[in-house]
Amino acid sequence: YSAAIAELSAVQLNYYLDEEHCWALDVAELRRALAEGRRHCCPRVLCIINPGNPTGQVQSRQCIEDVIKFAFEEKLFLMADEVYQDNVYAEGSAFHSFKKVLFEMGPPYSEVVELASFHSVSKGFMGECGFRSGYVEVVNMDPEVQQQLAKLVSVRLCPPVPGQILLDAVVDPPQPGDPSYELFIAEKQAVLSALAHKAQLTQEIFNQAPGIRCNPVQGAMYSFPRIELPPRALAAAEAQDQAPDMFFCMKLLEETGICVVPGSGFGQR
């Protein structure tokens, strides 16, 4: 998203997720970011990633309702990135699509709130980042804007044929009684249960390590641990004119060969 925004000379407004409450989304924080942004630009769009990237949280239904009401009140176009919807691991967590919640809320929300929801083959568990294709569904979009969207999409090249074939399998998977159904379900469950096991393992091992704290990985493909760096490391980072987390990541790469991403690049605290 940040690359597309930069290309279009638009402005990105960051908002913080609540780490103390397992990376929940707080509408009060959205209001703060919106008010701050309105001092120098005209915010149009609210982008939500659920299940979360890079924080691995799964937003509750109540949270989604609150966000839809907020978008309605503030006349914001909602972009719901839901590409990890199959990857939900934590007990008590469940994926709720923005479109489903929007329609269940009924008028006036279901008739007014503009929503684009995204799904992808190249994330989650199906394409495992090798295949490239996906789709966007739009509801309540202004007809003139939708015309421009159709124009933009029609001048693009299509994705590779294998990706298109796989997308068909994503939107119309084998059904009970189909020859491939049992194999499909077995493979799907095997992949997702392995990912759930790794998610559990990741948070357990992080939380055993001194100076590292990690929220439960509820979904998606990411954990977002907090690493407390000692004063000498902070001083060494400053001496090299690096952000402390970037300093840590570079040291980790040089000394272990393990490459991780500094958290500051995601605009969280």
Side-chain angles (χ1 to χ4, degrees), residues 145-173:
V145 179
Q146 192 153 345
Q147 213 175 352
Q148 297 303 320
L149 175 63
K151 190 194 295 182
L152 274 172
V153 172
S154 65
V155 298
R156 291 191 170 190
L157 296 175
C158 64
V161 172
Q164 294 183 55
I165 294 167
L166 191 55
L167 185 62
D168 186 63
V170 168
V171 297
D172 186 19

PDB file of all heavy atoms in Angstrom, residues 145-173:
ATOM      1  N   VAL A 145     -16.859   6.342 -10.283  1.00  0.00           N
ATOM      2  CA  VAL A 145     -15.572   5.832  -9.804  1.00  0.00           C
ATOM      3  C   VAL A 145     -15.384   4.385 -10.277  1.00  0.00           C
ATOM      4  O   VAL A 145     -14.289   3.990 -10.690  1.00  0.00           O
ATOM      5  CB  VAL A 145     -15.482   5.915  -8.259  1.00  0.00           C
ATOM      6  CG1 VAL A 145     -14.159   5.351  -7.765  1.00  0.00           C
ATOM      7  CG2 VAL A 145     -15.644   7.355  -7.791  1.00  0.00           C
ATOM      8  N   GLN A 146     -16.470   3.615 -10.236  1.00  0.00           N
ATOM      9  CA  GLN A 146     -16.396   2.216 -10.676  1.00  0.00           C
ATOM     10  C   GLN A 146     -16.016   2.142 -12.159  1.00  0.00           C
ATOM     11  O   GLN A 146     -15.276   1.252 -12.573  1.00  0.00           O
ATOM     12  CB  GLN A 146     -17.729   1.507 -10.432  1.00  0.00           C
ATOM     13  CG  GLN A 146     -17.615  -0.004 -10.603  1.00  0.00           C
ATOM     14  CD  GLN A 146     -18.637  -0.761  -9.774  1.00  0.00           C
ATOM     15  OE1 GLN A 146     -19.258  -0.197  -8.870  1.00  0.00           O
ATOM     16  NE2 GLN A 146     -18.807  -2.025 -10.065  1.00  0.00           N
ATOM     17  N   GLN A 147     -16.480   3.093 -12.930  1.00  0.00           N
ATOM     18  CA  GLN A 147     -16.124   3.161 -14.351  1.00  0.00           C
ATOM     19  C   GLN A 147     -14.617   3.370 -14.510  1.00  0.00           C
ATOM     20  O   GLN A 147     -13.970   2.745 -15.365  1.00  0.00           O
ATOM     21  CB  GLN A 147     -16.886   4.329 -14.981  1.00  0.00           C
ATOM     22  CG  GLN A 147     -17.265   4.098 -16.434  1.00  0.00           C
ATOM     23  CD  GLN A 147     -18.126   5.242 -16.970  1.00  0.00           C
ATOM     24  OE1 GLN A 147     -18.555   6.128 -16.235  1.00  0.00           O
ATOM     25  NE2 GLN A 147     -18.380   5.221 -18.253  1.00  0.00           N
ATOM     26  N   GLN A 148     -14.065   4.243 -13.679  1.00  0.00           N
ATOM     27  CA  GLN A 148     -12.616   4.500 -13.738  1.00  0.00           C
ATOM     28  C   GLN A 148     -11.823   3.257 -13.303  1.00  0.00           C
ATOM     29  O   GLN A 148     -10.777   2.951 -13.871  1.00  0.00           O
ATOM     30  CB  GLN A 148     -12.250   5.701 -12.851  1.00  0.00           C
ATOM     31  CG  GLN A 148     -12.862   7.018 -13.282  1.00  0.00           C
ATOM     32  CD  GLN A 148     -12.515   7.394 -14.710  1.00  0.00           C
ATOM     33  OE1 GLN A 148     -11.381   7.204 -15.160  1.00  0.00           O
ATOM     34  NE2 GLN A 148     -13.486   7.896 -15.448  1.00  0.00           N
ATOM     35  N   LEU A 149     -12.348   2.561 -12.296  1.00  0.00           N
ATOM     36  CA  LEU A 149     -11.684   1.330 -11.834  1.00  0.00           C
ATOM     37  C   LEU A 149     -11.652   0.297 -12.964  1.00  0.00           C
ATOM     38  O   LEU A 149     -10.616  -0.333 -13.215  1.00  0.00           O
ATOM     39  CB  LEU A 149     -12.417   0.761 -10.617  1.00  0.00           C
ATOM     40  CG  LEU A 149     -11.906  -0.587 -10.087  1.00  0.00           C
ATOM     41  CD1 LEU A 149     -10.473  -0.480  -9.593  1.00  0.00           C
ATOM     42  CD2 LEU A 149     -12.811  -1.114  -8.984  1.00  0.00           C
ATOM     43  N   ALA A 150     -12.794   0.131 -13.651  1.00  0.00           N
ATOM     44  CA  ALA A 150     -12.867  -0.826 -14.767  1.00  0.00           C
ATOM     45  C   ALA A 150     -11.857  -0.461 -15.853  1.00  0.00           C
ATOM     46  O   ALA A 150     -11.194  -1.336 -16.427  1.00  0.00           O
ATOM     47  CB  ALA A 150     -14.280  -0.848 -15.335  1.00  0.00           C
ATOM     48  N   LYS A 151     -11.713   0.836 -16.106  1.00  0.00           N
ATOM     49  CA  LYS A 151     -10.760   1.302 -17.117  1.00  0.00           C
ATOM     50  C   LYS A 151      -9.321   0.968 -16.705  1.00  0.00           C
ATOM     51  O   LYS A 151      -8.523   0.473 -17.504  1.00  0.00           O
ATOM     52  CB  LYS A 151     -10.926   2.817 -17.304  1.00  0.00           C
ATOM     53  CG  LYS A 151     -10.163   3.384 -18.505  1.00  0.00           C
ATOM     54  CD  LYS A 151     -10.068   4.896 -18.450  1.00  0.00           C
ATOM     55  CE  LYS A 151     -11.434   5.570 -18.566  1.00  0.00           C
ATOM     56  NZ  LYS A 151     -11.284   7.060 -18.559  1.00  0.00           N
ATOM     57  N   LEU A 152      -9.006   1.250 -15.446  1.00  0.00           N
ATOM     58  CA  LEU A 152      -7.658   0.965 -14.938  1.00  0.00           C
ATOM     59  C   LEU A 152      -7.324  -0.524 -15.035  1.00  0.00           C
ATOM     60  O   LEU A 152      -6.245  -0.900 -15.463  1.00  0.00           O
ATOM     61  CB  LEU A 152      -7.542   1.410 -13.469  1.00  0.00           C
ATOM     62  CG  LEU A 152      -7.180   2.859 -13.184  1.00  0.00           C
ATOM     63  CD1 LEU A 152      -7.318   3.127 -11.684  1.00  0.00           C
ATOM     64  CD2 LEU A 152      -5.753   3.156 -13.621  1.00  0.00           C
ATOM     65  N   VAL A 153      -8.280  -1.356 -14.621  1.00  0.00           N
ATOM     66  CA  VAL A 153      -8.048  -2.803 -14.599  1.00  0.00           C
ATOM     67  C   VAL A 153      -7.919  -3.360 -16.018  1.00  0.00           C
ATOM     68  O   VAL A 153      -7.104  -4.239 -16.283  1.00  0.00           O
ATOM     69  CB  VAL A 153      -9.185  -3.518 -13.821  1.00  0.00           C
ATOM     70  CG1 VAL A 153      -9.059  -5.029 -13.955  1.00  0.00           C
ATOM     71  CG2 VAL A 153      -9.147  -3.115 -12.353  1.00  0.00           C
ATOM     72  N   SER A 154      -8.709  -2.800 -16.948  1.00  0.00           N
ATOM     73  CA  SER A 154      -8.743  -3.358 -18.301  1.00  0.00           C
ATOM     74  C   SER A 154      -7.463  -3.104 -19.091  1.00  0.00           C
ATOM     75  O   SER A 154      -7.202  -3.795 -20.070  1.00  0.00           O
ATOM     76  CB  SER A 154      -9.947  -2.811 -19.070  1.00  0.00           C
ATOM     77  OG  SER A 154      -9.813  -1.420 -19.252  1.00  0.00           O
ATOM     78  N   VAL A 155      -6.667  -2.112 -18.684  1.00  0.00           N
ATOM     79  CA  VAL A 155      -5.419  -1.860 -19.415  1.00  0.00           C
ATOM     80  C   VAL A 155      -4.240  -2.645 -18.833  1.00  0.00           C
ATOM     81  O   VAL A 155      -3.130  -2.570 -19.353  1.00  0.00           O
ATOM     82  CB  VAL A 155      -5.067  -0.354 -19.442  1.00  0.00           C
ATOM     83  CG1 VAL A 155      -6.150   0.426 -20.156  1.00  0.00           C
ATOM     84  CG2 VAL A 155      -4.834   0.207 -18.048  1.00  0.00           C
ATOM     85  N   ARG A 156      -4.490  -3.411 -17.785  1.00  0.00           N
ATOM     86  CA  ARG A 156      -3.419  -4.223 -17.188  1.00  0.00           C
ATOM     87  C   ARG A 156      -3.348  -5.593 -17.850  1.00  0.00           C
ATOM     88  O   ARG A 156      -4.349  -6.117 -18.313  1.00  0.00           O
ATOM     89  CB  ARG A 156      -3.659  -4.405 -15.696  1.00  0.00           C
ATOM     90  CG  ARG A 156      -3.490  -3.119 -14.917  1.00  0.00           C
ATOM     91  CD  ARG A 156      -3.469  -3.400 -13.430  1.00  0.00           C
ATOM     92  NE  ARG A 156      -3.073  -2.204 -12.696  1.00  0.00           N
ATOM     93  CZ  ARG A 156      -2.788  -2.199 -11.407  1.00  0.00           C
ATOM     94  NH1 ARG A 156      -2.859  -3.312 -10.713  1.00  0.00           N
ATOM     95  NH2 ARG A 156      -2.434  -1.094 -10.800  1.00  0.00           N
ATOM     96  N   LEU A 157      -2.158  -6.169 -17.832  1.00  0.00           N
ATOM     97  CA  LEU A 157      -2.005  -7.534 -18.329  1.00  0.00           C
ATOM     98  C   LEU A 157      -2.628  -8.499 -17.334  1.00  0.00           C
ATOM     99  O   LEU A 157      -2.651  -8.246 -16.130  1.00  0.00           O
ATOM    100  CB  LEU A 157      -0.526  -7.865 -18.515  1.00  0.00           C
ATOM    101  CG  LEU A 157       0.205  -7.031 -19.585  1.00  0.00           C
ATOM    102  CD1 LEU A 157       1.674  -7.376 -19.571  1.00  0.00           C
ATOM    103  CD2 LEU A 157      -0.387  -7.281 -20.960  1.00  0.00           C
ATOM    104  N   CYS A 158      -3.103  -9.638 -17.829  1.00  0.00           N
ATOM    105  CA  CYS A 158      -3.734 -10.613 -16.937  1.00  0.00           C
ATOM    106  C   CYS A 158      -2.668 -11.416 -16.198  1.00  0.00           C
ATOM    107  O   CYS A 158      -1.518 -11.506 -16.641  1.00  0.00           O
ATOM    108  CB  CYS A 158      -4.649 -11.544 -17.720  1.00  0.00           C
ATOM    109  SG  CYS A 158      -3.786 -12.560 -18.905  1.00  0.00           S
ATOM    110  N   PRO A 159      -3.008 -12.018 -15.066  1.00  0.00           N
ATOM    111  CA  PRO A 159      -2.045 -12.844 -14.335  1.00  0.00           C
ATOM    112  C   PRO A 159      -1.763 -14.132 -15.108  1.00  0.00           C
ATOM    113  O   PRO A 159      -2.509 -14.486 -16.031  1.00  0.00           O
ATOM    114  CB  PRO A 159      -2.760 -13.145 -13.021  1.00  0.00           C
ATOM    115  CG  PRO A 159      -4.212 -13.006 -13.330  1.00  0.00           C
ATOM    116  CD  PRO A 159      -4.310 -11.955 -14.383  1.00  0.00           C
ATOM    117  N   PRO A 160      -0.694 -14.859 -14.758  1.00  0.00           N
ATOM    118  CA  PRO A 160      -0.364 -16.114 -15.447  1.00  0.00           C
ATOM    119  C   PRO A 160      -1.527 -17.109 -15.365  1.00  0.00           C
ATOM    120  O   PRO A 160      -2.284 -17.114 -14.396  1.00  0.00           O
ATOM    121  CB  PRO A 160       0.852 -16.637 -14.683  1.00  0.00           C
ATOM    122  CG  PRO A 160       1.389 -15.470 -13.945  1.00  0.00           C
ATOM    123  CD  PRO A 160       0.248 -14.551 -13.686  1.00  0.00           C
ATOM    124  N   VAL A 161      -1.630 -17.952 -16.396  1.00  0.00           N
ATOM    125  CA  VAL A 161      -2.744 -18.902 -16.474  1.00  0.00           C
ATOM    126  C   VAL A 161      -2.822 -19.824 -15.248  1.00  0.00           C
ATOM    127  O   VAL A 161      -3.912 -20.018 -14.702  1.00  0.00           O
ATOM    128  CB  VAL A 161      -2.667 -19.708 -17.789  1.00  0.00           C
ATOM    129  CG1 VAL A 161      -3.699 -20.834 -17.801  1.00  0.00           C
ATOM    130  CG2 VAL A 161      -2.920 -18.776 -18.972  1.00  0.00           C
ATOM    131  N   PRO A 162      -1.691 -20.403 -14.752  1.00  0.00           N
ATOM    132  CA  PRO A 162      -1.822 -21.273 -13.569  1.00  0.00           C
ATOM    133  C   PRO A 162      -2.442 -20.555 -12.371  1.00  0.00           C
ATOM    134  O   PRO A 162      -3.221 -21.144 -11.625  1.00  0.00           O
ATOM    135  CB  PRO A 162      -0.372 -21.698 -13.274  1.00  0.00           C
ATOM    136  CG  PRO A 162       0.329 -21.577 -14.587  1.00  0.00           C
ATOM    137  CD  PRO A 162      -0.298 -20.393 -15.260  1.00  0.00           C
ATOM    138  N   GLY A 163      -2.120 -19.264 -12.211  1.00  0.00           N
ATOM    139  CA  GLY A 163      -2.709 -18.484 -11.128  1.00  0.00           C
ATOM    140  C   GLY A 163      -4.212 -18.332 -11.288  1.00  0.00           C
ATOM    141  O   GLY A 163      -4.971 -18.409 -10.320  1.00  0.00           O
ATOM    142  N   GLN A 164      -4.658 -18.133 -12.536  1.00  0.00           N
ATOM    143  CA  GLN A 164      -6.094 -18.013 -12.802  1.00  0.00           C
ATOM    144  C   GLN A 164      -6.824 -19.328 -12.496  1.00  0.00           C
ATOM    145  O   GLN A 164      -7.922 -19.331 -11.932  1.00  0.00           O
ATOM    146  CB  GLN A 164      -6.324 -17.618 -14.263  1.00  0.00           C
ATOM    147  CG  GLN A 164      -5.807 -16.227 -14.602  1.00  0.00           C
ATOM    148  CD  GLN A 164      -6.126 -15.842 -16.031  1.00  0.00           C
ATOM    149  OE1 GLN A 164      -7.267 -15.881 -16.434  1.00  0.00           O
ATOM    150  NE2 GLN A 164      -5.109 -15.470 -16.793  1.00  0.00           N
ATOM    151  N   ILE A 165      -6.178 -20.440 -12.873  1.00  0.00           N
ATOM    152  CA  ILE A 165      -6.780 -21.761 -12.609  1.00  0.00           C
ATOM    153  C   ILE A 165      -6.911 -21.980 -11.101  1.00  0.00           C
ATOM    154  O   ILE A 165      -7.948 -22.435 -10.610  1.00  0.00           O
ATOM    155  CB  ILE A 165      -5.930 -22.884 -13.253  1.00  0.00           C
ATOM    156  CG1 ILE A 165      -5.975 -22.766 -14.784  1.00  0.00           C
ATOM    157  CG2 ILE A 165      -6.417 -24.272 -12.811  1.00  0.00           C
ATOM    158  CD1 ILE A 165      -4.945 -23.622 -15.491  1.00  0.00           C
ATOM    159  N   LEU A 166      -5.850 -21.622 -10.374  1.00  0.00           N
ATOM    160  CA  LEU A 166      -5.859 -21.815  -8.932  1.00  0.00           C
ATOM    161  C   LEU A 166      -6.899 -20.918  -8.264  1.00  0.00           C
ATOM    162  O   LEU A 166      -7.565 -21.326  -7.307  1.00  0.00           O
ATOM    163  CB  LEU A 166      -4.465 -21.550  -8.356  1.00  0.00           C
ATOM    164  CG  LEU A 166      -4.223 -21.953  -6.913  1.00  0.00           C
ATOM    165  CD1 LEU A 166      -4.557 -23.423  -6.679  1.00  0.00           C
ATOM    166  CD2 LEU A 166      -2.772 -21.700  -6.510  1.00  0.00           C
ATOM    167  N   LEU A 167      -7.065 -19.695  -8.776  1.00  0.00           N
ATOM    168  CA  LEU A 167      -8.072 -18.790  -8.213  1.00  0.00           C
ATOM    169  C   LEU A 167      -9.472 -19.393  -8.338  1.00  0.00           C
ATOM    170  O   LEU A 167     -10.296 -19.265  -7.438  1.00  0.00           O
ATOM    171  CB  LEU A 167      -8.013 -17.427  -8.901  1.00  0.00           C
ATOM    172  CG  LEU A 167      -8.939 -16.350  -8.309  1.00  0.00           C
ATOM    173  CD1 LEU A 167      -8.575 -16.054  -6.864  1.00  0.00           C
ATOM    174  CD2 LEU A 167      -8.891 -15.075  -9.130  1.00  0.00           C
ATOM    175  N   ASP A 168      -9.714 -20.082  -9.455  1.00  0.00           N
ATOM    176  CA  ASP A 168     -11.003 -20.747  -9.642  1.00  0.00           C
ATOM    177  C   ASP A 168     -11.221 -21.792  -8.547  1.00  0.00           C
ATOM    178  O   ASP A 168     -12.331 -21.964  -8.037  1.00  0.00           O
ATOM    179  CB  ASP A 168     -11.062 -21.401 -11.026  1.00  0.00           C
ATOM    180  CG  ASP A 168     -12.441 -21.985 -11.320  1.00  0.00           C
ATOM    181  OD1 ASP A 168     -13.408 -21.209 -11.382  1.00  0.00           O
ATOM    182  OD2 ASP A 168     -12.553 -23.212 -11.464  1.00  0.00           O
ATOM    183  N   ALA A 169     -10.138 -22.480  -8.166  1.00  0.00           N
ATOM    184  CA  ALA A 169     -10.238 -23.487  -7.098  1.00  0.00           C
ATOM    185  C   ALA A 169     -10.474 -22.832  -5.733  1.00  0.00           C
ATOM    186  O   ALA A 169     -11.111 -23.415  -4.859  1.00  0.00           O
ATOM    187  CB  ALA A 169      -8.971 -24.342  -7.050  1.00  0.00           C
ATOM    188  N   VAL A 170      -9.967 -21.603  -5.560  1.00  0.00           N
ATOM    189  CA  VAL A 170     -10.163 -20.887  -4.297  1.00  0.00           C
ATOM    190  C   VAL A 170     -11.621 -20.441  -4.152  1.00  0.00           C
ATOM    191  O   VAL A 170     -12.233 -20.601  -3.099  1.00  0.00           O
ATOM    192  CB  VAL A 170      -9.213 -19.668  -4.200  1.00  0.00           C
ATOM    193  CG1 VAL A 170      -9.594 -18.754  -3.042  1.00  0.00           C
ATOM    194  CG2 VAL A 170      -7.775 -20.147  -4.016  1.00  0.00           C
ATOM    195  N   VAL A 171     -12.186 -19.869  -5.222  1.00  0.00           N
ATOM    196  CA  VAL A 171     -13.553 -19.336  -5.117  1.00  0.00           C
ATOM    197  C   VAL A 171     -14.611 -20.430  -5.275  1.00  0.00           C
ATOM    198  O   VAL A 171     -15.751 -20.263  -4.864  1.00  0.00           O
ATOM    199  CB  VAL A 171     -13.809 -18.197  -6.138  1.00  0.00           C
ATOM    200  CG1 VAL A 171     -12.890 -17.020  -5.868  1.00  0.00           C
ATOM    201  CG2 VAL A 171     -13.639 -18.682  -7.570  1.00  0.00           C
ATOM    202  N   ASP A 172     -14.219 -21.559  -5.870  1.00  0.00           N
ATOM    203  CA  ASP A 172     -15.179 -22.654  -6.066  1.00  0.00           C
ATOM    204  C   ASP A 172     -14.486 -23.984  -5.730  1.00  0.00           C
ATOM    205  O   ASP A 172     -14.198 -24.793  -6.613  1.00  0.00           O
ATOM    206  CB  ASP A 172     -15.677 -22.650  -7.518  1.00  0.00           C
ATOM    207  CG  ASP A 172     -16.777 -23.675  -7.751  1.00  0.00           C
ATOM    208  OD1 ASP A 172     -17.392 -24.129  -6.761  1.00  0.00           O
ATOM    209  OD2 ASP A 172     -17.011 -24.042  -8.921  1.00  0.00           O
ATOM    210  N   PRO A 173     -14.197 -24.216  -4.436  1.00  0.00           N
ATOM    211  CA  PRO A 173     -13.434 -25.409  -4.047  1.00  0.00           C
ATOM    212  C   PRO A 173     -14.252 -26.686  -4.243  1.00  0.00           C
ATOM    213  O   PRO A 173     -15.478 -26.627  -4.384  1.00  0.00           O
ATOM    214  CB  PRO A 173     -13.143 -25.177  -2.567  1.00  0.00           C
ATOM    215  CG  PRO A 173     -14.226 -24.275  -2.101  1.00  0.00           C
ATOM    216  CD  PRO A 173     -14.583 -23.399  -3.274  1.00  0.00           C
TER     217      PRO A 173
END
